[in-house]
Amino acid sequence: MIAVDLRRGGGKIRRASLSLQDTPRPGTAKVYTASYVDRAGQAVGFAIGAHANEAHLATDAVARWCRALRSRRLVVADVERPCLCLDFAPPRDARTVLPSQTQEHRSVLPPPHGQPRQCPAAAMSLEDTRTYAQRGDTVVLIGESEDAVAALKAEGPDHTVVVRSAVEAAALDVPRPERISFVVQPGLPTEEAMPVLAALRERFPLLRGHHFDALCHRSSDRTAAASVASTGADVALVLGEPADADSARLARACLPARTRIINRLDQVGPGLIESATTIALVPARTAPARLASAVEQALTGLGPLTVISRSVSSRPGILRLRRETPC
């Protein structure tokens, strides 16, 4: 981050490690540093060396980045990748793991060649689409993923119609309004599906559809984790491609006004983080492999850093009221 900042100021940069035990050699260069002492009693920070004719660049950069030097929390949204039940995309790691996090995480194993990864919810959605189409219903598919919707349509190509919004649902016409059922695309956040379903039911009072145990809650958990991790944060960094729909969805779920989608470390400048005591880190599905670790390492040089993770997990269960225990 500091190197890119210096390049923007016109400096020529070469990175190197610096040992305090090294014997200085005669010359005209000077080293400007900013550091703090960590728990182990070691000095941690950053240093900029410059020849006399570029000393102003070094002093300006140190002053600029010193404003970002402080104790800081990095709150990581511990999110699994989106449900790829009916997606043929190459598998990637299920979770982003930072070096400071020692707990083990599950990984997604690739399916046999040519077969989609399927969760039980996807299997139920396929079966429901096929059953409703075979009994002669118009099957309304609530969804947005081209791959997932195409797989569902294949179960009843002459009996299915796709709606992606409540507006489309309210304007929908079908040949027999009394013979209509709905299926929700696996992986679609339930919070996005419910308004569409409500509009469908308003237009078609005899609407039938699958049980909600066929809904996949992973996408909802991911957006909820982004929201929870960013609660109380000064800045939220969503790691991923700006044009990716998953990055945009997670960014909308983040609470701070200063929420940025980044795919390179050099997009984190002093102006963004200098007043941030708590930073939320939210990996999207397109997050570069080592970007989360690079952000953590860079922030470690800008003051004592505490890394914590937050996650949200929905699972089926029976409501049990807890007994009140006196204090």
Side-chain angles (χ1 to χ4, degrees), residues 239-258:
L239 311 184
E241 296 299 327
D244 180 57
D246 183 59
S247 300
R249 175 179 285 125
L250 292 175
R252 289 194 300 269
C254 292
L255 302 181
R258 284 188 292 168

Side-chain angles (χ1 to χ4, degrees), residues 4 13 39 48 66 149 151 153 165 237 265 274 282 301 310 325:
V4 172
I13 307 303
R39 286 286 188 182
I48 303 174
C66 272
V149 169
K153 284 178 66 70
S165 68
L237 302 177
L265 183 61
E274 67 180 14
V282 183
R310 289 179 177 169
T325 303

Side-chain angles (χ1 to χ4, degrees), residues 99-268:
S100 57
Q101 296 173 298
T102 58
Q103 66 267 30
E104 293 184 357
H105 295 280
R106 295 184 296 108
S107 62
V108 173
L109 297 178
H113 180 69
Q115 297 182 15
R117 288 180 290 282
Q118 289 190 11
C119 69
M124 285 188 281
S125 296
L126 289 168
E127 182 180 355
D128 288 345
T129 304
R130 182 167 55 251
T131 299
Y132 302 156
Q134 289 175 349
R135 72 187 183 192
D137 287 6
T138 296
V139 185
V140 181
L141 306 178
I142 301 174
E144 60 177 17
S145 166
E146 296 296 335
D147 292 329
V149 169
L152 292 172
K153 284 178 66 70
E155 299 298 321
D158 298 327
H159 295 269
T160 53
V161 59
V162 179
V163 295
R164 293 178 169 82
S165 68
V167 173
E168 290 184 11
L172 181 65
D173 286 318
V174 297
R176 300 169 62 190
E178 74 281 1
R179 302 289 298 180
I180 182 172
S181 297
F182 74 89
V183 170
V184 177
Q185 167 215 310
L188 183 70
T190 54
E191 297 80 9
E192 296 182 18
M194 292 302 110
V196 181
L197 179 56
L200 277 175
R201 202 172 294 282
E202 179 72 20
R203 182 162 179 78
F204 304 103
L206 298 180
L207 177 71
R208 298 182 289 181
H210 61 183
H211 297 180
F212 286 153
D213 58 1
L215 298 182
C216 178
H217 295 281
R218 184 180 294 184
S219 292
S220 295
D221 289 346
R222 298 180 79 255
T223 54
S227 179
V228 169
S230 63
T231 299
D234 303 299
V235 173
L237 302 177
V238 178
L239 311 184
E241 296 299 327
D244 180 57
D246 183 59
S247 300
R249 175 179 285 125
L250 292 175
R252 289 194 300 269
C254 292
L255 302 181
R258 284 188 292 168
T259 295
R260 302 288 187 271
I261 300 174
I262 66 169
N263 55 15
R264 302 189 316 274
L265 183 61
D266 59 24
Q267 293 170 321
V268 182

